[in-house]
Amino acid sequence: MIIVTGGAGFIGSNLVHELNRRGRTDVIVVDNLTRGEKALNLADCVIADYYDKDDFITLIEADEGLGPVEAVFHLGACSATTEWDGRYMMRNNFEYSRALFHWCQDRRIPFIYASSAAVYGGNSVFTEHPEHERPLNVYGYSKLAFDQYLRRYLDDLSAQVVGLRYFNVYGPREQHKGGMASVVHHFSRQLRESGQVRLFEGSDGYADGEQRRDFVDVSDCVRLKLWLLDHPEVSGIYNCGTGRARTFNAMAHAVIDWFGHGEIEYIPFPEHLKGRYQSYTQADLSQLRAAGCDLAFNDIETGVRNYLDAVADSPAIMPS
């Protein structure tokens, strides 16, 4: 049995879908379906069981077993970088992770969890070392807090534990994320509505639309997770990105090229994001490569084309 928390979410549902494609249907999904539209992400998947996230953590804290578990992929979290309720964020992103980590260690179950590149904040160096970690919001801090907690145990683990620091992930099954969805999602919607995509004007020394991010295809994130499952000797905290920063202009042009039409409009940089915005990110993959992972990551031209081809064939996961 494989457990996927956040299994109805963006990365989680793509993982469940890929597990199914590989013949695995013995999957327990854990999520919060208060927003019922997330269920559409699983409509074409087969799962063995489902638990609400609150019911699941109650089982974990009661130290109850769930039968033979091969691995836990922990993706459930509050991912809203604009959420400033620290108590809520720490309960969801730190305390839940801590409880599940110890439950897995007690049972010698591999635990592969979602960290975030948000831990780096405004730094220009993105290596998995404490001196480069300075988050700009409470979401980033909640992820860093658990990474720091885990580091205390890395030299004495009973089973594999891996934290993946996701950079800017895009791909199918993110339509429920609203404002937190990728720029590909937003650009696609904007093009259909107005024939234009909107980018921020220059900021932090960057020209209009020239802010740079490491945009990573969700399918590559899933492939990396399953590579880790196949390599239980690998533990630690690793970046999950392409290793190449690309501009928002380049991403906009990739979307425009797929649609075959469109223009770019530059809008004023929002006041509320000043000082709280990552204008540049680029994953350093040195530690991941040193761990033996040689997976190649899609460039944005390939990833965007695959994404938009996929959602065009599946209206339920079309950006809206």
Side-chain angles (χ1 to χ4, degrees), residues 124-276:
S124 59
V125 178
F126 300 88
T127 58
E128 303 91 330
H129 296 293
E131 62 265 30
H132 303 306
E133 298 163 357
R134 189 64 60 86
L136 297 173
N137 50 50
V138 70
Y139 165 73
Y141 176 72
S142 70
K143 291 296 187 178
L144 177 60
F146 184 70
D147 286 352
Q148 291 174 333
Y149 184 83
L150 171 65
R151 282 172 171 150
R152 300 167 53 199
Y153 295 89
L154 281 176
D155 293 331
D156 189 28
L157 295 172
S158 67
Q160 178 188 37
V161 181
V162 179
L164 290 177
R165 289 181 170 174
Y166 295 111
F167 280 67
N168 284 79
V169 186
Y170 63 92
R173 304 172 197 272
E174 62 169 328
Q175 72 285 345
H176 64 281
K177 290 175 64 66
M180 293 297 108
S182 75
V183 293
V184 182
H185 174 94
H186 292 299
F187 291 166
S188 300
R189 177 181 51 79
Q190 292 164 8
L191 269 179
R192 291 197 312 277
E193 292 175 352
S194 68
Q196 294 182 318
V197 297
R198 294 188 291 276
L199 302 184
F200 291 149
E201 293 177 346
S203 62
D204 294 335
Y206 292 89
D208 294 351
E210 287 294 297
Q211 299 92 338
R212 296 171 178 264
R213 294 280 183 88
D214 192 330
F215 298 102
V216 57
D217 187 340
V218 69
S219 67
D220 290 333
C221 300
V222 168
R223 289 193 304 121
L224 177 54
K225 285 183 172 298
L226 295 178
W227 182 89
L228 289 164
L229 185 63
D230 293 336
H231 292 80
E233 73 281 3
V234 176
S235 287
I237 298 168
Y238 300 99
N239 287 332
C240 180
T242 66
R244 184 184 180 193
R246 299 291 300 275
T247 67
F248 283 83
N249 281 323
M251 183 62 91
H253 282 296
V255 175
I256 289 170
D257 288 348
W258 187 88
F259 277 88
H261 64 86
E263 298 177 348
I264 296 175
E265 175 191 8
Y266 298 104
I267 62 175
F269 192 87
E271 287 293 328
H272 73 278
L273 290 180
K274 290 181 178 179
R276 297 173 178 172

Side-chain angles (χ1 to χ4, degrees), residues 30-67:
V30 179
D31 213 305
N32 174 3
L33 287 181
T34 299
R35 294 185 58 193
E37 64 268 27
K38 289 169 61 178
L40 296 178
N41 286 336
L42 296 174
D44 59 346
C45 299
V46 178
I47 65 173
D49 208 346
Y50 171 86
Y51 287 89
D52 178 82
K53 77 175 188 69
D54 291 335
D55 295 337
F56 182 71
I57 199 63
T58 297
L59 291 176
I60 296 305
E61 291 173 341
D63 199 29
E64 295 187 25
L66 292 166

